[in-house]
Amino acid sequence: MADIIRLLPDHVANQIAAGEVVQRPASVVKELLENAIDAGASAIQLVLKDAGRTLIQVTDNGSGMSETDARLSFERHATSKIGSAEDLFSIHTLGFRGEALASIASVAQVEVRTRREADELGVAILIEGSRFISQTPVNLATGTTFSIKNLFFNIPARRNFLKNDAVEMRHCIEEFERVVLVHPQIEFSLEHNGKVVFHLPASSLRHRIVNVFGAALHPRLVPIGQESDIVVVSGFVGKPEFARKTRGEQYFFVNDRYVKIPYLAHAVESAYQELIPEKSFPSYFIYLQVDPASLDVNIHPTKTEVKMLDEGHIYAILKATVRKSLGEFNLMPSLDFDREAIFDIPEPDPNNPPPQPTIRVNPDYNPFTNPNPGSIPSQHVSFPRGSSPAGWEKLFPSREFDRPSGDVSPTGELLPAEPSAENKVYLPEGSEKPLVQLMGRYLLTTLRNGLLLVDQQRAHERILYERFLSQLQGNQASSQQLLFPLTFYFQPSDAELLKNLMPELRKIGFDIEIAGQNNFALNGLPAGFRETDAEGLLEQLVNDIRQSPGASPESHLIEMAAALARNQAVRNGTLLSADEIKNIFDSLFACNMPHVSPDGRLTLKILTAEDLDKLLK
Ligand code: ADP
Ligand code: MG
């Protein structure tokens, strides 16, 4: 009887391998982006047509390839990255095994154009379903462009298996996001059907996250960091009050790769225990660096699960690190310097240029010797842009970071200002009640049987929040017309989401209309709303909905009402008139839930006679 075992032809082997590596356009996106990063690129462009079905093109300005390497790169097990099985354990580069390009080329029409800096001419190579078609010299800039056309053109069954464009595009964007979040120092762009979806300049990690997920995220991020022998932790976690009803932005990266580690996700979630309501989920972007030898690399390249030695230790370290950062932030939650850089830049007055900030420190100044450090008023002092909290302000036990205001002694030293500078006491005519504003942030009045203490900003947030909610429930809000309408572009799937929300947005005062395909014009904003915050807010709203498709539109609008209230509430440090104080007291007690701010913090405290007795014992 004849022998029956046959070696599979290469192209068949490649197609079988492709079944594992290339599941959908997004898999190709991932492999090509990672190759471009490995090639040392500083700028990478991704172009898609029809969610990658028709075209996936990645252009980088990295090393480029020689003519021979370009041909070889499509061979199975062709890689410049590992030479022996041992290398697998120490590999730091992204791709491994050298099978991505061979697999991709077996199921698509592929063109590579590449040139190394040292070569005068580059080369263009065409391959179709693993078959070499042509090779020609070309003129091009240093770097490489891979164009993958008509994915699965030769395997109709797989092509039919693809989902609709919105779903496939979502997968592509996900892969793109996972890559760009690890390489903020690299410029990226993503274009789909001729429209720019993302353009991400090289930036800090914080700004990269914000550029991807929207400006509204900016004030919500708390940095984390911890170094130990077994792991280095860095990144950002979301403030508890912004936890979501669905798992949204939860990212782990180990050694610069996106991974899913349910065990460590649990560590993070347990750090939030008691800080967020049950069944809500924190956002996080956490980066772990571990010894590559402590990772189980014997996992498939397309899998995102990973096994780590030391998981138990890392669990404990991670939980403690997140806890600590959230704790520090809780001490001084509301003044966020980075937030100022984005939202609160005052318009410069050309006739009255701001003085150059000078920093003078009195070396003898010791906040502990101040009898009443928490009362040093500060909030009218505006910070130079880009300044960040140094160590010393932590010395102040106040919830908000206070800074000595700008009183300068004759010798030029910065002196703590008069403690009572922002205390106001009013005794309105015809009223026995005094109205007091303390330190520019606490409102105080007498009750029949005690004292009422109110946090002005939180109280105002509560008042506005309920007002916006009632507007959403059908009471028309007033809108303030803009002189120059603001226009926004949203990518098609997001534009759809936004269109569905337009009636609700109008109710709360956003005079929004469609201005051509996927473009929107804002002609008016809710009264008092800052123009500069509008785009971030809409982006955040759409993002919320995209991230949690299951949640009801109402829950998004509730979040929106809270965001608007936060935006418009009077800031701590703003001096209020007697009328304004009275108004806050009156409106607060007209609220359904006067006691807490929309994010669950106390707005008021009543000190009864008994409380006062206890205090004075
Ligand atoms: P791997 O990335 O695992 O090595 P691939 O099949 O993805 O395997 O790529 C094969 C080889 O082709 C790489 O090792 C690299 O040498 C080369 N290569 C791929 N993409 C690029 C690129 N954008 N720039 C330069 N070289 C590249
Ligand atoms: Mg690769």
Side-chain angles (χ1 to χ4, degrees):
M1 202 167 127
D3 297 333
I4 54 168
I5 293 181
R6 277 180 300 154
L7 281 176
L8 286 174
D10 263 0
H11 73 274
V12 178
N14 284 338
Q15 272 192 15
I16 293 170
E20 292 182 71
V21 181
V22 187
Q23 281 142 3
R24 51 182 6 132
S27 336
V28 177
V29 166
K30 170 175 187 279
E31 297 296 338
L32 295 184
L33 290 178
E34 291 186 343
N35 280 346
I37 289 163
D38 286 345
S42 63
I44 299 173
Q45 289 136 27
L46 168 62
V47 175
L48 301 173
K49 283 208 181 109
D50 307 318
R53 246 178 260 275
T54 319
L55 174 73
I56 303 161
Q57 184 178 74
V58 171
T59 300
D60 69 61
N61 63 356
S63 61
M65 285 178 274
S66 71
E67 204 182 304
T68 321
D69 281 352
R71 292 272 301 251
L72 260 179
S73 69
F74 292 102
E75 295 292 330
R76 202 149 148 71
H77 306 305
T79 175
S80 54
K81 296 165 196 172
I82 43 178
S84 71
E86 258 101 80
D87 287 353
L88 269 176
F89 293 96
S90 58
I91 189 115
H92 282 277
T93 48
L94 296 166
F96 50 93
R97 304 178 177 203
E99 60 188 351
L101 288 179
S103 301
I104 294 167
S106 72
V107 293
Q109 298 156 341
V110 176
E111 184 195 40
V112 57
R113 301 164 71 87
T114 186
R115 180 172 79 84
R116 295 182 300 181
E117 178 133 46
D119 299 336
E120 199 167 318
L121 279 180
V123 61
I125 295 173
L126 274 178
I127 302 221
E128 239 184 69
S130 293
R131 259 185 336 118
F132 172 82
I133 304 286
S134 69
Q135 173 173 341
T136 38
V138 285
N139 237 323
L140 78 165
T142 307
T144 305
T145 298
F146 273 97
S147 307
I148 314 301
K149 292 179 190 153
N150 303 317
L151 188 64
F152 300 136
F153 78 106
N154 51 355
I155 320 182
R158 302 221 51 171
R159 204 172 53 224
N160 295 338
F161 173 78
L162 294 179
K163 302 278 193 313
N164 65 45
D165 275 13
V167 172
E168 293 302 334
M169 191 57 200
R170 191 61 228 140
H171 284 288
C172 289
I173 289 178
E174 237 166 54
E175 291 296 350
F176 179 82
E177 287 172 348
R178 292 170 182 178
V179 170
V180 303
L181 287 172
V182 181
H183 302 279
Q185 78 288 358
I186 300 177
E187 176 182 344
F188 286 92
S189 64
L190 165 53
E191 199 185 297
H192 183 221
N193 291 341
K195 298 225 168 86
V196 177
V197 182
F198 288 102
H199 178 229
L200 309 169
S203 68
S204 68
L205 177 60
R206 181 188 270 268
H207 280 99
R208 172 59 52 90
I209 293 172
V210 166
N211 286 334
V212 173
F213 295 104
L217 205 61
H218 205 285
R220 307 180 178 189
L221 298 174
V222 182
I224 59 169
Q226 181 67 47
E227 279 186 41
S228 77
D229 286 348
I230 52 170
V231 65
V232 177
V233 183
S234 61
F236 293 91
V237 295
K239 291 183 185 173
E241 65 257 42
F242 298 106
R244 300 163 166 284
K245 292 283 166 292
T246 53
R247 278 172 204 281
E249 294 130 5
Q250 301 193 325
Y251 291 88
F252 270 116
F253 302 90
V254 172
N255 294 0
D256 294 346
R257 255 171 178 276
Y258 171 82
V259 291
K260 289 188 180 128
I261 321 179
Y263 180 65
L264 294 187
H266 186 269
V268 178
E269 272 160 31
S270 68
Y272 278 85
Q273 231 164 32
E274 290 149 34
L275 295 175
I276 59 177
E278 236 177 285
K279 297 219 179 66
S280 59
F281 302 94
S283 304
Y284 52 82
F285 306 85
I286 295 178
Y287 298 73
L288 306 175
Q289 293 290 339
V290 297
D291 180 352
S294 75
L295 281 181
D296 181 359
V297 292
N298 201 13
I299 48 164
H300 195 274
T302 61
K303 286 240 175 79
T304 48
E305 280 87 25
V306 66
K307 281 294 292 170
M308 290 197 278
L309 303 176
D310 288 331
E311 262 189 355
H313 285 118
I314 296 178
Y315 184 101
I317 293 172
L318 191 59
K319 181 173 173 181
T321 306
V322 174
R323 260 279 191 224
K324 177 168 146 266
S325 299
L326 292 176
E328 272 169 12
F329 134 78
N330 263 340
L331 279 178
M332 21 174 184
S334 37
L335 197 62
D336 181 314
F337 290 83
D338 280 311
R339 181 193 149 79
E340 299 227 327
I342 274 204
F343 292 113
D344 302 332
I345 306 164
E347 286 292 322
D349 176 354
N351 301 319
N352 187 12
Q356 197 65 27
T358 53
I359 298 173
R360 272 169 302 203
V361 178
N362 174 358
D364 299 326
Y365 174 60
N366 177 351
F368 291 118
T369 61
N370 187 304
N372 195 1
S375 70
I376 295 172
S378 66
Q379 289 88 344
H380 287 321
V381 180
S382 62
F383 290 82
R385 232 209 297 173
S387 64
S388 71
W392 64 266
E393 68 276 13
K394 293 192 184 124
L395 300 173
F396 291 94
S398 65
R399 192 181 60 87
E400 183 154 313
F401 157 44
D402 287 315
R403 182 182 195 268
S405 72
D407 277 5
V408 176
S409 80
T411 53
E413 285 152 347
L414 195 59
L415 298 175
E418 271 296 293
S420 65
E422 290 180 9
N423 295 341
K424 292 266 174 204
V425 180
Y426 302 101
L427 228 185
E429 241 174 280
S431 152
E432 314 89 77
K433 279 182 187 297
L435 297 172
V436 179
Q437 185 185 28
L438 286 173
M439 298 159 239
R441 56 171 297 193
Y442 300 110
L443 308 181
L444 190 72
T445 192
T446 53
L447 300 171
R448 211 156 9 133
N449 185 27
L451 281 176
L452 171 65
L453 185 65
V454 164
D455 179 301
Q456 71 183 38
Q457 182 169 338
R458 295 179 194 176
H460 198 209
E461 273 180 33
R462 160 58 58 185
I463 295 163
L464 292 172
Y465 171 72
E466 294 204 4
R467 185 174 304 157
F468 288 128
L469 274 187
S470 108
Q471 284 162 358
L472 284 172
Q473 283 151 9
N475 308 317
Q476 201 67 31
S478 66
S479 162
Q480 152 201 328
Q481 291 301 296
L482 294 173
L483 211 48
F484 303 102
L486 299 170
T487 54
F488 305 108
Y489 167 77
F490 279 84
Q491 67 175 95
S493 54
D494 288 351
E496 265 325 292
L497 296 176
L498 191 59
K499 274 178 204 161
N500 295 335
L501 279 176
M502 283 172 49
E504 273 78 16
L505 286 167
R506 292 206 184 99
K507 278 190 196 163
I508 48 177
F510 283 96
D511 182 354
I512 187 169
E513 61 182 19
I514 297 170
Q517 227 190 355
N518 307 319
N519 285 301
F520 296 84
L522 262 180
N523 302 311
L525 297 172
F529 189 82
R530 277 179 295 193
E531 210 171 312
T532 44
D533 296 0
E535 185 169 11
L537 198 88
L538 293 181
E539 271 176 11
Q540 181 60 31
L541 184 67
V542 166
N543 214 36
D544 283 349
I545 294 170
R546 175 151 49 75
Q547 302 269 345
S548 45
S552 64
E554 288 75 30
S555 77
H556 296 301
L557 289 165
I558 287 174
E559 269 198 48
M560 170 122 192
L564 275 170
R566 256 192 313 279
N567 177 282
Q568 290 186 39
V570 54
R571 294 285 185 271
N572 282 332
T574 311
L575 292 190
L576 303 180
S577 68
D579 280 347
E580 287 168 327
I581 296 174
K582 185 160 183 310
N583 225 322
I584 286 192
F585 285 135
D586 291 348
S587 315
L588 183 62
F589 286 101
C591 285
N592 294 324
M593 286 182 65
H595 289 80
V596 286
S597 66
D599 54 27
R601 294 177 296 166
L602 282 184
T603 54
L604 66 89
K605 180 96 194 156
I606 292 173
L607 293 172
T608 61
E610 294 93 74
D611 294 332
L612 295 171
D613 272 353
K614 269 190 221 140
L615 277 176
L616 292 170
K617 270 223 174 92

